[in-house]
Amino acid sequence: MPHPLAVRISIAIIFSVAVFSAQAVDFKKDIQPLLKNKCSRCHSGHEAKGGFSINTRTTLLEAAKPNDSAKSLLYQLITSKDPDERMPSEGEPLSPEQILLIKKWIDEGIAWPKGYNFAEWRKAPLEPRAVPLSPGKGNPIDRLLLGYFKENKVEASQIVGDRVFARRVWLDLVGLLPTVDELEKFVADKAPDKRARLVDRLLDDNRAYADHWMTFWNDHLRNAYFGPGFIDNGRSQITTWLYRALFTNMPYDQFVRELVSGSNGAGGFVKGIKWRGTVNASQRREMQAAQNLAQVFMGTNLKCASCHNSFVNYWKLEDAYSLAAIFADSGLELHRCDKPTGKPAKMRFIFPELGSIDPKAPTKTRLQQLSKLMTAEKNGRLRRVIVNRLWAKLLGRGLIEPLDDMDQPAWSADLLDWLAGDLASHNHDLKHTLRLICTSRAYQLPVAEVPEKRFTFRGPLPKRMHAEQFVDALSALSGQWQNGGAFMRQDGRKQGGQVGAVSKVIAANLPPEKPAGKIPMPAWIWTQKNAAANAPLETIYLRKTFMLESKPTSATGIASCDNEFILFVNGKRVTAGKNWSAPTRFDLARHLHKGRNTLAVQATNIAAGPAGFILRVQLGETYLTTDNSWLTSKQKHAGWEKSAFETKGWKHAAQLGATGMGPWNLAEAFGSAPGAVNITDIRAVLSRLDPLQRALGRPNRDQVVTARDTLPTLLQALELTNGTTLDNYLKGAAIHWQQKQQNPDVMISKIYLTALGREPNRTERTIASEMLGEHPKPETIADLLWIIVMLPEFQIIR
């Protein structure tokens, strides 16, 4: 007969279970604490191990079936007897009572309070924020970082030497190694402002700038030359539009407006890719446009929200579809996890506080409305995203990381907001922001160690050359620039053709400057008539004031000076040139306005000998050229470059002679269309994707890539040691050096200076001399080159 106490205990247990079974599970009291304590570490917020998240009921339904615990993966995992499968994977397993709670909750239908989310998502403010600068002189970036360095005990007094700075800024701004002559001239220069002048000169090289930043924007805008979608016209290039935008330094707000509205040849970005076969609803073209636009320009991820409510941020399915609907020519039905819901998408921008979209307007009109909302003055996020990307590009890490999650806190919110506001106040000139960063002491600090835990800014992080930079560096070493590769025809139907052909298309689409009829030829001018024969070492100042009936849409020009010049427009420095034999080309349109305008030129003859300045600018159907109507002075006056300056005492310039006069003979250069681009020495960015570039991380651009993976891979190791592409470059380079230099010791010096910007040390020279011998052969030269290009010093931007 059972003991009375045992009977009472059994009755109590049966009674408790009966009571428990009779009561509904309380989510807030029973389930929320359990999931938070046992599951949230691995399956909430940004964490979604195994692809499973408990952030919302929608995401949890991927592992739990309402009213059927037996068929729910969640229940199967928490009751599994396999220790490698059982959840939670760490810590104590759930108790029988906790398992019973989960089972009952599932069988009761998975009750979930409306709007509840386990993740606490930070949502950054949208509006611009004015950041005052403390009184003082110097680069604003450095002034803003003074307090940060003091608070974080960062020693920031030392900056890198000239050789390191030159190599860094050359690769960062134009993607090329400095030539030996340019580098040595820069190092020998004793002027205190030589670094700022170098930055200006690099940014003024429109072609080198466009070639380099094509890589950045091709990745962001997934602009490819071949691949899925082109054969059946299911995809379009924006190569011509993009190159033109970069070459002319199109203001960033206009850049975004044209891309979003698909105008002026930029339609390929919003068009997306027409994938063959069955495609998930989250990858239809309209949804691609929404995802790409949000990622690239708003710095946020809509990809998860394109299928269900996101478990990586606060966006919901309705948000993604509302944005996608703006791009749709007909109504868009919401699909949840690729299943139709029967609900139509309501058309709106993801930040509706910026304004509304007219759902009844044609698609083209809606896209124009969207482009204006995105670039509206009160959308501070647009500017924060791009200055954050530029900072990351130049210094190795963004002010906010990850770059595509702008809702994360910045390590310096003041610097981020100030840079964004400064960009807006300078006509959205990206070159202005690049110039500001590169001339700061922050950029010129020695590279810092990559932090293991908490990030503190101590200087730029070391960066690996990206694939195109590496190949261009090989071209500089070998003299072998790109001369062939596959591109799409402009009708999108046929692959093939030469790189040069595409370059001609690009050149033809730069701002037009050659109208029907004869092009007027400018005259060489200076302060004295005999300057073409002999002029002293001097700097002179030139001015030309003229009237415009309206602001021109294009004002392309060409100028040259023996030896160097700086051109100002209405008081603002615009461009410069230092090589009279390669005239500088530019577009002044955005610096001109209706009414009175002034061109001002600071021209310098750096040594006794010939001196002269020459310029031509097309203003609509008319031209402005250098002649004796220009005013000149040998004395520098305060404000001399500004329109309001009074030129009392200035004299008319001396007209030296025609464009083709000696010693310059530039009639041919000035006779061609000033907007034309030299199509020799084609850069890697315009070449077909080859095995070497693919191994080094150049993407196929089927997806948006805002930051390339920099970790070395086995494929890279194999390609760099055994790949035929690199081997062919090195063999060609060896022949180039054998023909160029017979003296092995001089050859070694020149190779090191070209590749690394320095002479070899004693050990390096000894090893190289032993390898080459007295009569270097192509095989041994190629081996030496391979050793050098494998050095971290060659591949890392420090």
Side-chain angles (χ1 to χ4, degrees), residues 70 304 321:
C304 290
Y321 269 90

Side-chain angles (χ1 to χ4, degrees), residues 58 61 68 79 216 313 347 359 419 439 452 460 502 572 684 705 756:
T58 300
L61 288 177
D68 195 344
T79 58
F216 176 88
N313 53 33
M347 205 175 291
L419 285 171
T439 54
E452 294 182 2
V502 174
K572 178 178 175 59
V705 175
L756 305 178

Side-chain angles (χ1 to χ4, degrees), residues 281-576:
S282 66
Q283 277 303 299
R284 62 181 297 163
R285 279 186 164 183
E286 298 90 343
M287 193 59 79
Q288 291 179 45
Q291 294 167 1
N292 296 342
L293 179 146
Q295 181 180 357
V296 174
F297 299 121
M298 294 287 99
T300 194
N301 182 353
L302 284 186
K303 292 180 180 178
C304 290
S306 302
C307 197
H308 47 71
N309 290 347
S310 177
F311 53 75
V312 299
N313 53 33
Y314 46 78
W315 297 117
K316 299 185 182 303
L317 182 69
E318 291 79 5
D319 297 319
Y321 269 90
S322 294
L323 179 56
I326 300 173
F327 297 89
D329 293 326
S330 57
L332 208 56
E333 179 186 6
L334 271 70
H335 283 63
R336 189 179 298 278
C337 298
D338 208 30
K339 295 179 180 179
T341 65
K343 296 180 180 180
K346 296 180 180 180
M347 205 175 291
R348 62 176 172 81
F349 186 38
I350 53 176
F351 296 103
E353 56 266 47
L354 291 173
S356 60
I357 302 291
D358 182 1
K360 296 180 180 179
T363 306
K364 183 177 180 180
T365 302
R366 297 198 305 267
L367 294 183
Q368 290 172 346
Q369 292 173 352
L370 175 61
S371 71
K372 291 179 181 178
L373 292 183
M374 289 187 60
T375 56
E377 184 178 343
K378 59 183 179 179
N379 183 9
R381 186 166 181 136
L382 177 78
R383 288 91 186 172
R384 291 187 189 104
V385 169
I386 187 58
V387 298
N388 189 52
R389 295 196 191 284
L390 296 182
W391 184 275
K393 183 69 175 172
L394 296 176
L395 289 106
R397 190 185 191 279
L399 293 155
I400 290 179
E401 288 282 345
L403 299 178
D404 296 334
D405 190 358
M406 289 297 288
D407 292 301
Q408 295 301 311
W411 58 261
S412 176
D414 282 353
L415 179 54
L416 177 68
D417 286 336
W418 188 89
L419 285 171
D422 182 66
L423 176 66
S425 66
H426 283 84
N427 196 33
H428 294 84
D429 182 351
L430 296 184
K431 284 189 177 182
H432 166 80
T433 300
L434 292 171
R435 179 181 291 109
L436 193 66
I437 295 174
C438 289
T439 54
S440 69
R441 287 184 64 85
Y443 175 81
Q444 298 174 54
L445 292 171
V447 291
E449 296 295 326
V450 179
E452 294 182 2
K453 296 180 180 180
R454 177 181 177 273
F455 175 78
T456 299
F457 177 74
R458 300 178 183 278
L461 298 183
K463 309 183 294 287
R464 289 186 68 191
M465 285 183 183
H466 58 62
E468 293 88 336
Q469 283 176 313
F470 185 82
V471 171
D472 284 342
L474 293 177
S475 293
L477 268 176
S478 65
Q480 305 171 78
W481 296 88
Q482 309 302 311
N483 59 6
F487 282 81
M488 307 310 302
R489 279 175 33 182
Q490 293 305 298
D491 59 13
R493 293 183 177 275
K494 183 179 180 182
Q495 295 186 144
Q498 300 297 308
V499 176
V502 174
S503 297
K504 289 177 182 177
V505 171
I506 291 170
N509 281 275
L510 289 173
E513 185 157 351
K514 187 175 182 179
K518 187 177 180 181
I519 303 175
M521 301 294 274
W524 288 91
I525 61 173
W526 202 254
T527 53
Q528 62 264 29
K529 289 185 177 181
N530 65 338
N534 187 41
L537 187 161
E538 63 181 348
T539 295
I540 68 168
Y541 304 90
L542 297 157
R543 285 173 55 94
K544 176 67 176 180
T545 298
F546 55 98
M547 300 295 291
L548 291 174
E549 294 183 359
S550 61
K551 179 179 173 63
T553 57
S554 175
T556 51
I558 179 172
S560 180
C561 182
D562 186 353
N563 295 96
E564 56 191 47
F565 75 93
I566 301 173
L567 174 64
F568 299 84
V569 180
N570 296 323
K572 178 178 175 59
R573 175 178 173 145
V574 172
T575 190

Side-chain angles (χ1 to χ4, degrees), residues 23-173:
Q23 294 177 343
V25 177
D26 186 318
F27 176 85
K28 185 175 181 180
K29 175 175 173 291
D30 301 318
I31 301 300
Q32 192 269 352
L34 181 56
L35 294 180
K36 185 173 181 65
N37 293 331
K38 293 291 187 177
C39 308
S40 63
R41 180 177 179 182
C42 298
H43 300 284
S44 72
H46 288 283
E47 296 293 333
K49 292 187 177 179
F52 167 55
S53 170
I54 64 168
N55 282 344
T56 67
R57 187 176 189 273
T58 300
T59 59
L60 184 133
L61 288 177
E62 296 180 15
K65 187 175 182 179
N67 308 116
D68 195 344
S69 58
K71 293 184 179 180
S72 294
L73 179 61
L74 174 61
Y75 182 71
Q76 294 168 9
L77 291 175
I78 64 176
T79 58
S80 175
K81 303 300 182 184
D82 185 346
D84 294 328
E85 183 181 77
R86 174 185 58 79
M87 291 290 138
S89 59
E90 300 177 2
E92 294 295 323
L94 299 184
S95 68
E97 292 80 10
Q98 291 171 326
I99 291 174
L100 188 59
L101 272 172
I102 295 293
K103 181 180 186 304
K104 191 169 186 294
W105 178 58
I106 294 173
D107 289 335
E108 288 178 355
I110 310 182
W112 191 284
K114 185 177 180 179
Y116 181 79
N117 194 319
F118 269 97
E120 295 180 1
W121 304 115
R122 180 182 185 272
K123 193 169 185 178
L126 186 66
E127 301 79 10
R129 181 174 73 96
V131 178
L133 277 176
S134 58
K137 296 182 179 181
N139 190 294
I141 292 173
D142 300 317
R143 290 158 62 187
L144 285 164
L145 287 178
L146 280 174
Y148 176 88
F149 286 150
K150 184 176 181 180
E151 179 182 347
N152 290 277
K153 297 180 174 59
V154 174
E155 174 57 46
S157 59
Q158 297 297 318
I159 59 174
V160 296
D162 284 344
R163 292 184 182 276
V164 173
F165 173 79
R167 193 174 194 271
R168 179 187 293 180
V169 78
W170 241 286
L171 285 166
D172 280 345
L173 291 183

Side-chain angles (χ1 to χ4, degrees), residues 226 464-478 480 482 684-685 687-701 708-709 711-731 733 785-786 789-790 794-795:
F226 61 94
R464 289 186 68 191
M465 285 183 183
H466 58 62
E468 293 88 336
Q469 283 176 313
F470 185 82
V471 171
D472 284 342
L474 293 177
S475 293
L477 268 176
S478 65
Q480 305 171 78
Q482 309 302 311
V685 67
S687 69
R688 186 177 183 128
L689 179 62
D690 58 38
L692 177 59
Q693 292 188 63
R694 183 183 293 110
L696 293 176
R698 173 172 163 175
N700 58 17
R701 299 193 174 106
R708 294 187 186 180
D709 188 0
L711 294 175
T713 66
L714 178 59
L715 176 61
Q716 291 173 10
L718 293 173
E719 190 65 34
L720 291 173
T721 52
N722 297 301
T724 56
T725 307
L726 177 59
D727 187 53
N728 288 335
Y729 268 110
L730 297 179
K731 287 178 178 177
L785 290 168
W786 183 84
V789 300
M790 289 303 103
F794 179 80
Q795 298 188 21

